[in-house]
Amino acid sequence: MPSFLQSFAERFAALDAASLHRLDELYSRGVSFQDPLHRVEGLGELRRYFASLYANVQELRYDFHGFDEVAPDHGYLRWTLHYRHPRLGGGRLIALEGCSHLRWGERVEFHRDYFDAGALLYEHLPVMGGVIGWLKRRLA
């Protein structure tokens, strides 16, 4: 039988812009969600946030490769996000490594994503991406 995290990851990876109504199968009504760019409270706000994420991408896929349950009610997922956006990176497929900390009861009540916001967005903007790349090379 798959763990809670494995089951969650499979169902989360199956989401797309047309199936966001299924978020209530994964998250509690009072869910708290945070990533490096946003913080939202409640299932309705989470649905709106995800809808805005899916609105402009041409492709979006998660590959989950780590399921670390540290207690019966919380754990970490390690993942790679693959996405394509027409105004980022010349429209090419971009990969981003990250992890999620989840706490749950019957459904997920707390979800916090950890990833490099620059690698998600800023590095792929025409002017800013060049500057960030230059800074990274100088500091390495």
Side-chain angles (χ1 to χ4, degrees):
M1 180 166 169
S3 71
F4 181 91
L5 287 175
Q6 289 171 317
S7 176
F8 174 88
E10 288 172 11
R11 294 183 296 157
F12 187 88
L15 291 173
D16 60 22
S19 63
L20 293 178
H21 61 279
R22 293 189 4 231
L23 284 172
D24 61 349
E25 298 170 11
L26 300 173
Y27 292 98
S28 70
R29 290 178 52 100
V31 64
S32 177
F33 175 90
Q34 185 174 352
D35 66 23
L37 303 172
H38 297 89
R39 181 183 181 115
V40 296
E41 299 292 332
L43 187 56
E45 287 297 315
L46 183 64
R47 188 173 284 114
R48 283 186 281 283
Y49 176 57
F50 282 1
S52 71
L53 294 177
Y54 281 99
N56 296 311
V57 295
Q58 296 170 326
E59 182 178 343
L60 189 139
R61 181 183 84 250
Y62 282 91
D63 292 328
F64 291 96
H65 44 82
F67 309 93
D68 304 312
E69 290 192 20
V70 296
D73 64 349
H74 74 99
Y76 296 86
L77 289 171
R78 285 175 280 125
W79 44 263
T80 303
L81 167 64
H82 304 273
Y83 71 101
R84 185 184 316 273
H85 189 286
R87 293 188 301 224
L88 297 175
R92 75 180 186 289
L93 191 63
I94 299 168
L96 174 72
E97 300 288 324
C99 75
S100 301
H101 177 207
L102 303 177
R103 286 193 312 252
W104 60 86
E106 187 177 320
R107 294 181 189 90
V108 171
E109 299 165 353
F110 172 86
H111 181 156
R112 183 164 185 181
D113 284 345
Y114 297 91
F115 57 82
D116 179 350
L120 172 75
L121 178 64
Y122 309 121
E123 291 177 18
H124 306 288
L125 295 172
V127 174
M128 190 179 282
V131 172
I132 290 173
W134 177 82
L135 285 172
K136 280 187 163 184
R137 287 187 298 278
R138 293 266 306 167
L139 297 173

